[in-house]
Amino acid sequence: MSTSTLSTSEIDSLLEAARAVLENSHSPYSGLRVGAALLAQDGTVHAGCNVESASYGLTICAERNAVFRAIADGVRGFRAVLITTDRDEALMPCGACRQVLHELEGDLEVIVVGSGGDRIDTTIAALLPYAIGEAEIKGS
Ligand code: THU
């Protein structure tokens, strides 16, 4: 497990944004509220929550919601994502989100925080080794 290179105030900003957006989670089926906040290289923060569907497979995770919102806002280049839930323990990002986050930023730091205070600092490269991405698809 690596230690984040973010400053305490950067982590606090991400945690505040992730906790705030988690309150907007639409999760009537699982009852699990998830919030994610991305720190862009330009210093801006982009947050997303999970949004569930009665057709379960259409559910979007908080992490991908944060990514898509940031991209839609024209932001590129990211340093870190912080993920939190309303559960005590730190809940790691699912495989689908690892893939999308890795493609977005191969050097991304990942910080996972449980509401009980557990915190795991890692990287997307550690969470998704041997990832496939643009370079592999294009054969460059
Ligand atoms: N969920 C996330 O938001 N992020 C993840 O990485 C894992 C799962 C959400 C999706 C669903 O709304 C709920 O958690 C239960 O799977």
Side-chain angles (χ1 to χ4, degrees), residues 26-27 30 32 34 49-52 59-63 83 91-94 97:
H26 177 69
S27 41
S30 73
L32 173 61
V34 187
C49 60
N50 57 327
V51 180
E52 296 184 350
T59 292
I60 185 81
C61 293
E63 298 90 325
I83 304 151
L91 189 93
M92 301 306 290
C94 77
C97 289

